[in-house]
Amino acid sequence: MEQLKTIGRELAMGSQGGFGQSKEFLDLVKSIGEARSKAEEDRIVVHEIETLKRRIIEPDIPKRKMKEYIIRLVYVEMLGHDASFGYIHAVKMTHDDNILLKRTGYLAVTLFLNEDHDLIILIVNTIQKDLKSDNYLVVCAALNAVCRLINEETIPAVLPQVVELLGHPKEAVRKKAILALHRFYQRSPSSVSHLVSNFRKMLSDNDPGVMGASLCPLFDLITIDPNSYKDLVVIFVNILKQVAERRLAKTYDYHQVPAPFIQIKLLKVLALLGNGDKHASEHMYMVVRDIIKKCDPSSNIGNAVLYECVCCVSAIYPNTKLLEAAADAISRFLKSDSHNLKYMGIDALGRLINISPEVAEQHQLAVIDCLEDPDDTLKRKTFELLFKMTKSSNVEVIVAHMIDYMISITDSHYKTEIASRCVELAEQFAPSNHWFIQTMNKVFEHAGDLVNIKVANNLMRLIAEGFGADDDTADIQLRLSAVESYLRIVGEPKLPSVFLQVICWVLGEYGTVDGKYSASYITGKLCDVAEAHSSDDTVKAYAVTALMKIYAFEIAAGRKVEILPECQSLIEEMSASHSTDLQQRAYELQAVIGLDSHAVDSIMPLDASCEDIEVDKNLSFLSHYIQQSLETGAQPYIPEHERSQLPSISDFRGQGHQEASAHALRFEAYDLPKAPVSKPSPVSHPSSTELIPLPEPSYTSEIHPVSAVLPKSDAGSNKIKLRLDGVQKKWGKPSYSSATPSTSDFSSEKTVNGVSSMGVSYTSSKALDSSYESRKPRVEIPSEKQKLAASLFSGISKAEKRSISTSNKPTKVTAHIVDKPQSQKLAAAPNEIIAEKAAHPPPPDLLDLGELDNVSKAPSVDPFKQLEGLLEPGMSTSSAVALESDIMSLHTEMPTNSQVHKNDVVLGLANASDAGIAVAQPIQISKGPNVKDSLQKDALVRQMGVTPLSQNPNLFKDLLG
Amino acid sequence: MIHFVLLINRQGKVRLTKWYSPYSQKERSKVIRELSGVITTRGPKLCNFVEWTGFKVVYRRYASLYFCMCIDQDDNELEILEIIHHYVEILDRYFGSVCELDLIFNFHKAYYILDEILIAGELQESSKKTVARLIAAQDSLVEAAKEQESSISNIIAQVTKRFTAEAAEIGEHFPAERFSIQGYRYTDVDVCNV
């Protein structure tokens, strides 16, 4: 009885088209579906892999069985496990003559292999053959594989065939051929550079799908060089106009919008072509305005087109009417309840703001809302917008918000980005030094390890140099505030290394300058830093050098140096350090302490970090010494380029050097097998060698040369490294200990100056504060938000007023210019286009005049005409529906077609009455059949032995329900 | 350009992945792990976009399944959202009220359909009818092959049929023609429309 049941089940599955796999596979899928944890799932999959490994190498597997194994491999790979042992079988399957197997083979290899995989070479031949096949389905499958697998090296092998396919009678093939060429272009632009004219030609293909596909490569080409494609502007505009006027076949409609995906692509292309080109842009104004007018703002796809229009408008030469329309669209987006639309609105605002900054002002509150929204994505987009509209007047508010947000997130990628933005804004718009230092401190404190080291160097330089060279007192003030803030911060745990380096440097350089803090206090702090971060050699090195500076300043000032016991032990510890760098510094420090004040003063002058050091590059002071040595019989120096086999001196860092020498010694032949070494996991390799004898020998033979090379280069690098370390110490460091005469006779006279100026600056900053306060209360009556808005946007409006008065003129002029041709155009559009064409004849490669005329001159006999079997231009949709004789074709146009299948008639009626109800009604009615349908499915899988999962009852839910 | 397509369910289980840019197996697992953590935890009212390591991921939820596509910074998110819907509508037509289970057991078909909609990370066909026609043409091959095979399995079938009527009854429970009907329906549509 049991047996019979299984037989029946298998029979049923055999005849049942969908679940055509064996019981075994269904069980696998089912058990994975029911797995309660990732570990359990992994266990099942590992077991499955073992089964497959065993089965797949059995001799004489029936092809149908093999096909299923391959699909099971795909499944395993999809779940994130390694199925590389079976790749070769997938490759073999592509060789099969049976198209079904071939198709499965191609599907599997496109999913398994990246374009740099070694097995690709085994497929190229098959692809070549299949591209010439009579069966267009085979050609399609091969082209799918071409798009995924062909790399730069193999492009020439298939290129001629693919180009030939551009003339294939089946539009599906032409389309795929174009996109394959597009892929080739992305891989290696030079390989298809001679085919550009083909892309242009395909633009006038009869099939809209092919035309749409040709826009992809053209978009890329135009991005790089818009100027050589200006002649296509008229053609693009014409196509777009025809699309917008519903001249394409109705099957291209998507939710009642005519071919929106093609419209979007065209608008993108036009945005590129019209950017900064007044003449080209003038062609576009009318069609873009038409599209904006026609866009249905209630549907998602309508808004997608609308958004693309706004992007286009803000990219092309400005036109006041279009800008107004775009601003309207943006305000609609921002006022919408949908977060998606708000997001798009913020993005569009960011684009438009460059051209008409006044738009931002009307949306202040909406922007603030988005900024405070709990949705992270929206928030980030808003920060992007704020970043774009930062002025010196609102920088403080914006950066404060950015930093608050930066502190709150953990995503290191975005943290880095926002930190670098903060730094950029702070460097560009900082209202005061004090603010700048404070801001940088915060950035370093919370994202120090993520920011570029250059930023730290910039900060140190700024503190050393100050803003204005002529105003010493302000600089001193700046340094003092830096020292104070660092002393406050330095005790905190978990400070990033880069920040600690800055702190150490500043404390060493300026810690004791104004006499406020004693040397022992500062040195104590520095020792704490070094001890707290004992694993970070760079920080320790900075700390020791800072100690040295402080002691040197003490000695130079004639005070007695008292070395704290912890400093003493730190120095001793470091002089025995493994790091030669630390050792060197510790010994230097000890040496400096032993010197008298005069010597120290010339070695370590106070505040000389910005002094230019004159470097004698010729080392002329050594010539006497060299002469002497040569006379006593030393070898003369051989210049670098003459000892070419020796590794270059410049890359003395171990890693870089090793690699460089390895490269020098390795030859092409060794390069290839490197991929299998790094890629496959150890488990997979042995098994694959059983099956494929091919890669193995090259793999083992490769190991020898590499291992032979390594020790050699290692020794070489060591030797060089040692020598250069010495060089670095001697010539790398002296920037601080150079013998330039000290400029700073830092006497009491100056400090007096400093104190007096301090007072002044305090009052001035107070004044600033109070003015800031007085500004705030003025808008204080409304909520917090408005206050924020005011502080954010006040600068814009002010700055913007100026810009309006200056920019008013040009925009008016354009409006003038634009209006005229538009009215003309309305009257005699075709005429004008012909005239236009006469004035700008396109370059010869497009001058297959017949085709060109087709597209541009006579839109009424356009190429799409043939496909317009269903077109009823004059009718409104509802009447068209009523007259539609074929109900089946109706539901192909309808958006909610899942239910429509069963309710054609109902829908037809509903649609005729009212569009709004039409959507709601069929859904309600169709609930019944849907439930039934899913119940049926439930029963079906139950019978097959797959019990529905208790944790996921949704499995049977209609996706579109 | 679309860098990858990812179908995961609410528990973060993978239902389909398609990579248009090169990712190693390790990177793939990392991407899936990270994204499923981000996307499945997002609330229903938030935007359908996530910024993610310099790219944007557009996702849309259908019942318990999330359809995700990763795109470049300057792509149009709303458009991608509609491309996802376009794909789902075509799946829905093909399977007839598609549900997650259909995709679980027929993931290779979902791949074939996806291959007719997207290629090399670009939308290749925006007409549902054209896609349906191509898929139907491919399926007719399957049907033809099946007929051949069934000549063998027929023999077995006849043998087993003889045993008892019960087995045949079990067989009848299955709406065996579901897919073939679907296939024919499309050709019907074609005849009527063209």
Side-chain angles (χ1 to χ4, degrees):
Chain A
M1 195 59 208
E2 269 302 300
Q3 242 179 341
L4 280 179
K5 264 187 188 160
T6 29
I7 292 171
R9 196 182 287 154
E10 240 140 52
L11 269 181
M13 280 182 309
S15 59
Q16 209 270 348
F19 301 175
Q21 296 87 25
S22 74
K23 168 92 170 62
E24 219 178 4
F25 181 52
L26 294 180
D27 280 345
L28 168 74
V29 174
K30 178 196 149 203
S31 58
I32 286 176
E34 285 172 348
R36 291 188 187 283
S37 64
K38 181 77 184 148
E40 196 182 336
E41 184 190 301
D42 284 347
R43 220 184 50 233
I44 297 167
V45 176
V46 167
H47 181 254
E48 168 73 7
I49 288 175
E50 268 159 26
T51 321
L52 283 175
K53 258 187 203 167
R54 214 164 357 122
R55 293 271 185 82
I56 214 162
I57 50 167
E58 283 170 8
D60 301 328
I61 309 170
K63 283 181 174 170
R64 181 151 167 251
K65 205 80 187 163
M66 196 64 188
K67 186 177 146 205
E68 193 195 296
Y69 288 153
I70 297 291
I71 288 180
R72 278 157 77 170
L73 281 176
V74 171
Y75 192 69
V76 165
E77 180 104 356
M78 190 174 88
L79 292 176
H81 292 258
D82 180 48
S84 52
F85 64 90
Y87 289 177
I88 187 70
H89 295 279
V91 171
K92 269 191 209 156
M93 190 157 271
T94 60
H95 305 335
D96 204 286
D97 288 331
N98 181 341
I99 178 179
L100 279 181
L101 296 179
K102 193 185 268 299
R103 207 165 64 117
T104 311
Y106 274 131
L107 176 69
V109 289
T110 52
L111 291 170
F112 288 154
L113 306 182
N114 274 330
E115 56 182 24
D116 52 354
H117 201 279
D118 293 340
L119 290 176
I120 302 274
I121 211 77
L122 297 177
I123 307 173
V124 172
N125 203 10
T126 321
I127 289 181
Q128 277 180 327
K129 210 176 72 208
D130 289 343
L131 286 177
K132 288 179 191 150
S133 166
D134 294 334
N135 187 340
Y136 79 101
L137 291 173
V138 174
V139 181
C140 282
L143 279 172
N144 277 344
V146 163
C147 287
R148 183 80 184 89
L149 301 178
I150 295 297
N151 54 25
E152 209 177 328
E153 285 163 36
T154 38
I155 286 176
V158 294
L159 188 62
Q161 279 104 318
V162 176
V163 173
E164 213 169 284
L165 290 174
L166 289 177
H168 198 276
K170 282 280 182 188
E171 59 277 354
V173 174
R174 293 202 298 272
K175 195 168 56 193
K176 282 182 203 273
I178 290 179
L179 287 163
L181 288 176
H182 178 214
R183 192 66 166 182
F184 293 167
Y185 175 78
Q186 288 173 336
R187 289 281 155 282
S188 123
S190 57
S191 67
V192 289
S193 53
H194 58 290
L195 296 169
V196 172
S197 61
N198 290 54
F199 295 138
R200 286 163 169 259
K201 219 185 282 169
M202 297 314 275
L203 197 56
S204 44
D205 195 279
N206 280 341
D207 184 73
V210 181
M211 183 273 291
S214 71
L215 293 175
C216 295
L218 282 172
F219 177 80
D220 276 13
L221 289 167
I222 292 171
T223 311
I224 291 166
D225 175 23
N227 286 327
S228 2
Y229 298 88
K230 295 285 185 191
D231 56 297
L232 289 178
V233 171
V234 186
I235 297 175
F236 285 133
V237 168
N238 240 309
I239 297 174
L240 185 57
K241 204 188 285 171
Q242 290 172 36
V243 173
E245 286 168 1
R246 295 179 179 273
R247 284 172 178 278
L248 288 195
K250 268 209 164 170
T251 51
Y252 282 88
D253 283 11
Y254 179 85
H255 295 195
Q256 275 109 31
V257 180
F261 300 110
I262 294 177
Q263 283 194 42
I264 287 172
K265 202 85 206 172
L266 278 166
L267 282 165
K268 276 187 181 162
V269 171
L270 288 181
L272 288 178
L273 284 170
N275 191 6
D277 183 339
K278 195 171 152 197
H279 179 76
S281 302
E282 277 166 10
H283 291 292
M284 306 168 191
Y285 292 149
M286 201 167 74
V287 66
V288 175
R289 205 168 54 183
D290 274 359
I291 291 175
I292 293 181
K293 225 181 278 169
K294 277 182 189 162
C295 273
D296 166 24
S298 62
S299 77
N300 210 359
I301 190 67
N303 285 322
V305 178
L306 198 55
Y307 165 78
E308 208 55 59
C309 287
V310 175
C311 294
C312 182
V313 167
S314 52
I316 62 177
Y317 194 85
N319 168 295
T320 21
K321 278 195 181 160
L322 280 179
L323 287 176
E324 274 167 25
D328 282 350
I330 289 175
S331 71
R332 199 143 17 105
F333 283 159
L334 286 174
K335 278 175 197 149
S336 151
D337 281 337
S338 151
H339 272 70
N340 286 348
L341 290 186
K342 276 188 192 164
Y343 178 91
M344 301 312 271
I346 294 279
D347 185 88
L349 193 57
R351 288 168 191 267
L352 205 63
I353 211 165
N354 296 330
I355 309 171
S356 45
E358 72 276 6
V359 185
E361 216 176 336
Q362 1 166 339
H363 301 302
Q364 329 184 351
L365 287 180
V367 172
I368 302 296
D369 273 341
C370 291
L371 194 62
E372 280 160 10
D373 199 276
D375 188 347
D376 248 14
T377 313
L378 194 53
K379 216 178 230 177
R380 290 179 188 187
K381 197 82 209 173
T382 314
F383 275 121
E384 212 179 298
L385 171 69
L386 291 182
F387 175 69
K388 280 182 193 158
M389 52 183 246
T390 305
K391 301 261 160 15
S392 50
S393 57
N394 57 12
V395 65
E396 286 168 83
V397 193
I398 289 177
V399 171
H401 264 87
M402 280 179 154
I403 288 178
D404 281 350
Y405 182 63
M406 186 185 80
I407 294 170
S408 72
I409 58 173
T410 50
D411 169 6
S412 66
H413 182 269
Y414 192 68
K415 213 169 189 170
T416 316
E417 196 177 313
I418 201 166
S420 63
R421 278 183 180 169
C422 285
V423 171
E424 193 181 318
L425 289 181
E427 283 179 351
Q428 220 175 330
F429 298 110
S432 71
N433 292 345
H434 181 75
W435 179 86
F436 180 78
I437 300 251
Q438 292 300 323
T439 308
M440 296 307 270
N441 284 352
K442 275 189 204 148
V443 172
F444 275 119
E445 202 177 331
H446 297 287
D449 288 329
L450 302 171
V451 294
N452 195 326
I453 185 75
K454 262 191 194 158
V455 175
N457 294 340
N458 272 352
L459 177 62
M460 289 190 257
R461 206 188 55 216
L462 179 102
I463 293 173
E465 284 180 348
F467 276 121
D470 45 336
D471 190 6
D472 271 359
T473 49
D475 292 351
I476 290 165
Q477 165 71 33
L478 169 74
R479 288 166 194 164
L480 185 67
S481 74
V483 168
E484 272 176 355
S485 62
Y486 290 155
L487 282 174
R488 235 185 352 261
I489 291 168
V490 77
E492 282 175 28
K494 284 190 188 168
L495 288 177
S497 170
V498 180
F499 191 35
L500 284 167
Q501 291 164 26
V502 175
I503 290 178
C504 287
W505 188 84
V506 171
L507 288 185
E509 200 74 21
Y510 302 110
T512 53
V513 165
D514 63 337
K516 190 171 170 188
Y517 301 103
S518 72
S520 61
Y521 179 71
I522 302 281
T523 50
K525 286 278 183 194
L526 286 169
C527 282
D528 290 346
V529 171
E531 268 163 35
H533 302 270
S534 52
S535 57
D536 190 338
D537 277 356
T538 325
V539 170
K540 278 204 297 205
Y542 266 89
V544 158
T545 309
L547 282 178
M548 174 158 68
K549 280 182 203 159
I550 291 191
Y551 290 138
F553 299 153
E554 288 296 291
I555 294 168
R559 285 189 284 268
K560 193 174 174 296
V561 178
E562 281 174 43
I563 300 180
L564 297 175
E566 64 247 46
C567 292
Q568 194 63 51
S569 65
L570 179 75
I571 293 164
E572 272 160 23
E573 183 198 318
M574 284 190 186
S575 48
S577 165
H578 287 300
S579 155
T580 46
D581 177 49
L582 283 182
Q583 260 191 42
Q584 173 92 16
R585 285 172 200 260
Y587 281 119
E588 275 175 12
L589 167 60
Q590 280 166 334
V592 166
I593 290 172
L595 295 172
D596 67 61
S597 75
H598 179 71
V600 168
D601 194 35
S602 50
I603 297 171
M604 279 273 176
L606 189 61
D607 189 22
S609 59
C610 310
E611 302 296 329
D612 287 332
I613 300 156
E614 278 191 30
V615 180
D616 185 357
K617 277 186 187 159
N618 296 325
L619 307 179
S620 56
F621 57 90
L622 284 175
S623 51
H624 175 67
Y625 173 75
I626 292 169
Q627 200 57 39
Q628 228 172 15
S629 311
L630 283 177
E631 276 163 15
T632 53
Q635 285 278 322
Y637 174 74
I638 307 162
E640 196 181 322
H641 53 90
E642 281 174 34
R643 341 156 243 160
S644 52
Q645 66 270 56
L646 278 182
S648 113
I649 267 181
S650 58
D651 45 28
F652 54 89
R653 266 173 262 269
Q655 195 62 34
H657 168 73
Q658 239 176 51
E659 255 175 44
S661 71
H663 274 299
L665 279 163
R666 260 213 260 135
F667 298 102
E668 279 299 287
Y670 296 143
D671 253 5
L672 245 172
K674 214 186 168 186
V677 177
S678 61
K679 256 200 188 150
S681 72
V683 195
S684 68
H685 226 284
S687 72
S688 73
T689 53
E690 285 166 30
L691 300 164
I692 342 154
L694 203 86
E696 181 62 19
S698 60
Y699 175 65
T700 45
S701 72
E702 188 255 352
I703 280 177
H704 286 287
V706 165
S707 56
V709 164
L710 273 177
K712 217 183 195 173
S713 70
D714 225 353
S717 75
N718 266 346
K719 212 168 103 199
I720 298 296
K721 209 159 109 191
L722 267 179
R723 201 195 279 164
L724 279 162
D725 259 355
V727 172
Q728 191 206 11
K729 283 292 103 55
K730 271 218 165 115
W731 295 334
K733 218 47 236 178
S735 50
Y736 299 130
S737 54
S738 76
T740 39
S742 159
T743 45
S744 53
D745 23 329
F746 209 90
S747 58
S748 57
E749 169 197 4
K750 258 197 176 168
T751 33
V752 168
N753 247 348
V755 167
S756 67
S757 80
M758 234 158 66
V760 172
S761 67
Y762 266 144
T763 51
S764 73
S765 74
K766 249 181 216 160
L768 253 176
D769 269 5
S770 64
S771 76
Y772 194 61
E773 292 293 302
S774 67
R775 202 150 29 120
K776 263 189 181 165
R778 249 193 293 151
V779 276
E780 127 245 74
I781 317 131
S783 65
E784 278 277 302
K785 243 183 238 168
Q786 263 167 340
K787 226 189 273 180
L788 179 58
S791 53
L792 277 179
F793 290 85
S794 63
I796 297 264
S797 58
K798 258 186 264 162
E800 171 269 308
K801 251 161 215 155
R802 240 177 294 131
S803 75
I804 270 192
S805 57
T806 51
S807 71
N808 237 352
K809 248 191 250 166
T811 43
K812 251 185 196 161
V813 172
T814 59
H816 217 65
I817 293 167
V818 166
D819 274 351
K820 235 194 279 171
Q822 263 170 3
S823 51
Q824 272 178 6
K825 253 188 211 161
L826 280 170
N831 273 349
E832 214 214 338
I833 289 158
I834 292 165
E836 207 65 68
K837 256 173 52 65
H840 304 274
D845 57 348
L846 188 76
L847 265 182
D848 312 332
L849 263 171
E851 263 165 326
L852 228 165
D853 281 359
N854 241 356
V855 182
S856 61
K857 196 162 71 185
S860 51
V861 281
D862 62 295
F864 309 124
K865 198 79 188 194
Q866 291 134 298
L867 289 158
E868 289 173 38
L870 293 171
L871 195 74
E872 289 134 308
M875 280 175 227
S876 72
T877 39
S878 60
S879 64
V881 165
L883 288 176
E884 196 79 72
S885 57
D886 176 17
I887 295 173
M888 290 305 280
S889 77
L890 198 176
H891 78 73
T892 61
E893 299 350 308
M894 290 313 297
T896 50
N897 42 29
S898 71
Q899 292 78 26
V900 175
H901 283 311
K902 296 115 197 164
N903 296 295
D904 290 330
V905 187
V906 179
L907 186 98
L909 289 173
N911 199 11
S913 63
D914 187 302
I917 304 165
V919 183
Q921 241 175 2
I923 287 173
Q924 263 187 353
I925 295 166
S926 61
K927 276 253 162 74
N930 268 350
V931 171
K932 211 176 106 199
D933 211 58
S934 43
L935 278 177
Q936 254 176 11
K937 257 175 211 170
D938 187 312
L940 169 73
V941 285
R942 263 174 207 284
Q943 266 170 315
M944 282 188 326
V946 182
T947 42
L949 319 171
S950 49
Q951 319 114 283
N952 190 6
N954 287 324
L955 274 178
F956 298 101
K957 221 177 185 173
D958 290 354
L959 294 182
L960 277 174
Chain B
M1 180 192 161
I2 297 167
H3 295 281
F4 57 79
V5 178
L6 192 63
L7 263 69
I8 45 177
N9 77 355
R10 234 177 35 200
Q11 287 90 33
K13 282 183 180 151
V14 181
R15 294 302 180 214
L16 188 140
T17 56
K18 180 92 187 174
W19 310 85
Y20 295 104
S21 299
Y23 287 86
S24 71
Q25 187 66 261
K26 215 171 160 190
E27 288 167 326
R28 291 179 185 188
S29 319
K30 188 165 163 261
V31 167
I32 294 169
R33 204 174 47 241
E34 283 181 9
L35 273 183
S36 59
V38 173
I39 287 172
T40 52
T41 51
R42 277 174 73 82
K45 279 201 79 185
L46 308 183
C47 350
N48 292 64
F49 323 127
V50 179
E51 294 194 4
W52 182 74
T53 62
F55 297 106
K56 286 187 294 199
V57 175
V58 178
Y59 69 93
R60 191 155 177 172
R61 186 177 161 178
Y62 292 92
S64 56
L65 261 193
Y66 289 89
F67 287 67
C68 320
M69 290 189 182
C70 174
I71 50 169
D72 287 322
Q73 274 299 342
D74 49 356
D75 281 330
N76 182 339
E77 291 92 341
L78 289 178
E79 182 197 5
I80 302 297
L81 216 50
E82 291 311 298
I83 289 179
I84 292 176
H85 193 67
H86 181 62
Y87 178 44
V88 175
E89 280 184 348
I90 290 171
L91 284 176
D92 192 62
R93 262 196 214 186
Y94 182 79
F95 288 108
S97 316
V98 66
C99 66
E100 191 181 337
L101 207 71
D102 286 318
L103 298 183
I104 294 174
F105 286 104
N106 295 297
F107 66 94
H108 57 294
K109 298 207 165 170
Y111 273 123
Y112 288 132
I113 296 175
L114 187 61
D115 276 345
E116 295 307 323
I117 297 171
L118 299 177
I119 191 171
E122 303 280 353
L123 179 73
Q124 64 163 322
E125 186 54 69
S126 57
S127 156
K128 286 190 201 80
K129 203 176 80 179
T130 314
V131 174
R133 208 181 326 176
L134 265 172
I135 301 285
Q138 290 173 6
D139 275 0
S140 67
L141 285 174
V142 180
E143 293 297 322
K146 211 161 267 161
E147 262 159 41
Q148 273 183 355
E149 270 167 25
S150 64
S151 58
I152 306 163
S153 59
N154 261 348
I155 303 167
I156 309 166
Q158 275 160 11
V159 173
T160 47
K161 240 180 207 169
R162 241 182 288 151
F163 275 123
T164 169
E166 201 181 340
E169 208 182 51
I170 294 169
E172 261 174 25
H173 276 297
F174 297 83
E177 315 77 355
R178 211 178 92 205
F179 286 94
S180 48
I181 282 183
Q182 206 64 38
Y184 284 124
R185 182 123 63 112
Y186 282 116
T187 45
D188 286 349
V189 172
D190 289 350
V191 172
C192 299
N193 283 352
V194 178

